Amino acid sequence: MGLVGLVGLVLALFVADAIMAGDGKRTLKFGAGLAVCAVLAIALGDPPRLSSSSDCYVEWDMRASRTVCD
């Protein structure tokens, strides 16, 4: 995931450079690469958690511990 973000950052800088230079082909080429990186980052990211329980605690019974959420 970190590599995709780094490549996306570099591509964003290339897109900004191409826009400032006024080169449409380079802008489209690097913009398409940036879009692919964005899709990969979303696809490879962690899924959102559906439970928003914040009342979690660790229960310890002198042998093992477990996390309990209410």
Side-chain angles (χ1 to χ4, degrees), residues 5-30:
L6 183 64
V7 170
L9 176 65
V10 170
L11 285 172
L13 292 174
F14 283 149
V15 168
D17 180 53
I19 289 172
M20 290 205 277
D23 190 354
K25 281 187 175 182
R26 273 186 27 201
T27 302
L28 287 175
K29 181 172 60 172
F30 291 131

Side-chain angles (χ1 to χ4, degrees), residues 2 6-7 9 18 33 50 52-54 57 59 66 70:
L6 183 64
V7 170
L9 176 65
L50 297 177
S52 62
S53 175
S54 61
Y57 58 93
E59 189 175 86
R66 64 185 177 123
D70 293 330

Side-chain angles (χ1 to χ4, degrees), residues 15 22 31-32 42-43 51 61:
V15 168
I42 291 170
S51 67
D61 65 357

